[in-house]
Amino acid sequence: MNISTRRKILFGLLLVFVVATITMLVVFQLTKRQEKLVYEYSGRALEQVAEAIVRQTESQVFKVVFDYTYWDDMVSFAQNPETAWGDDNLATLHASFGFDYVLVFNQNREVVYEYSNEDIEPLFIESITENFLDSLHLQRFCSFYEYVNQELGFFQGATIHPTDDVERNSQPRGYLIVGNLWIDDEWENAQRLSGAALSVFQPSEYITDPLPPDMLQAAYFFPGLDGEVAAIGVFRRQ
């Protein structure tokens, strides 16, 4: 084999090596890019799942509050409250739906009825601000989260109207606010549906630490009164 032939063979081998190296680098970069896209997509999917779980839990409270606030009897109660009627129809929301708190204002924003189970101290009305009632009056429905006795609670408000005013076009005859604490059942359900571990932090406790490469995280910010953040729920899944 002469020198010219050897050079051709060596050049061919070198060319094959270079092409193979470039191919491997391209495949590696494409794989890394694909993994990044899959990671980002999975992260967004977890965020959507987390939000859907929270919305589903909120909607269960909303549906009840909606039905109870276009009702002639509720209008009459807000205007002329009778404790016995409130105990029979509002305090029973705890037994029927697991709600922990009920608060009724008349149209002058005077408290006419309040119910709380043992997990919520009475006179929680101190947390209900005039700004919230102003927003509730204008929007007809408002909600917020608040820590009560170290438990996170969801509170849904609605204006009270006659039975024939389901669209709530008339002036409010009063205001109903119902509260539901997120306790063991709610957290366990959220973790089961999301397939993720869930931790809840108060805003002052929330720290964004670097995550392991195989860890997905989604943060849900629970809105509090007057636009503030009441808590941050962190969903983490490998």
Side-chain angles (χ1 to χ4, degrees), residues 6 11 19 25 36 85 94 114 117 135 146 201 214 217 220:
R6 288 181 179 180
F11 178 78
V19 171
L25 289 173
K36 182 180 179 181
W85 189 94
H94 176 65
E114 183 182 27
N117 71 5
S135 297
E146 180 86 358
F201 303 92
D214 60 344
Q217 175 174 297
Y220 185 86

Side-chain angles (χ1 to χ4, degrees), residues 22-40:
I22 293 174
T23 302
M24 290 177 60
L25 289 173
V26 170
V27 171
F28 176 78
Q29 291 297 327
L30 289 175
T31 302
K32 294 294 290 184
R33 183 179 180 184
Q34 185 178 30
E35 289 176 351
K36 182 180 179 181
L37 291 173
V38 170
Y39 180 84
E40 291 176 350

Side-chain angles (χ1 to χ4, degrees), residues 53-68:
I53 290 170
V54 174
R55 297 301 184 205
Q56 179 186 23
T57 305
E58 293 175 353
S59 69
Q60 295 170 357
V61 181
F62 178 85
K63 290 176 182 177
V64 176
V65 173
F66 183 94
D67 290 341
Y68 268 67

Side-chain angles (χ1 to χ4, degrees), residues 51-194:
E51 182 173 0
I53 290 170
V54 174
R55 297 301 184 205
Q56 179 186 23
T57 305
E58 293 175 353
S59 69
Q60 295 170 357
V61 181
F62 178 85
K63 290 176 182 177
V64 176
V65 173
F66 183 94
D67 290 341
Y68 268 67
T69 48
Y70 70 102
W71 185 18
D72 289 338
D73 288 354
M74 180 65 80
V75 171
S76 298
F77 176 72
Q79 294 174 341
N80 299 290
E82 295 181 2
T83 302
W85 189 94
D87 291 343
D88 289 342
N89 293 276
L90 299 178
T92 52
L93 291 174
H94 176 65
S96 300
F97 302 101
F99 298 162
D100 302 292
Y101 187 76
V102 180
L103 182 63
V104 181
F105 293 87
N106 63 20
Q107 60 186 358
N108 298 321
R109 301 187 179 183
E110 299 167 336
V111 176
V112 298
Y113 185 79
E114 183 182 27
Y115 163 82
S116 61
N117 71 5
E118 63 274 10
D119 294 320
I120 297 184
E121 296 179 0
L123 300 179
F124 178 72
I125 54 174
E126 295 176 359
S127 296
I128 308 299
T129 64
E130 282 295 320
N131 286 341
F132 177 78
L133 291 176
D134 287 340
S135 297
L136 181 56
H137 183 90
L138 292 173
Q139 300 175 28
R140 299 321 200 221
F141 299 99
C142 281
S143 61
F144 65 93
Y145 284 85
E146 180 86 358
Y147 269 100
V148 182
N149 296 344
Q150 300 182 339
E151 299 287 354
L152 185 64
F154 172 66
F155 296 84
Q156 176 67 59
T159 51
I160 297 171
H161 300 267
T163 303
D164 61 0
D165 186 19
V166 64
E167 299 295 332
R168 300 169 198 263
N169 294 318
S170 62
Q171 285 297 310
R173 310 297 176 86
Y175 309 88
L176 172 67
I177 299 173
V178 170
N180 184 40
L181 293 183
W182 278 52
I183 49 180
D184 293 343
D185 289 345
E186 283 77 10
W187 297 128
E188 290 175 3
N189 184 58
Q191 292 184 106
R192 178 179 58 82
L193 292 175
S194 65

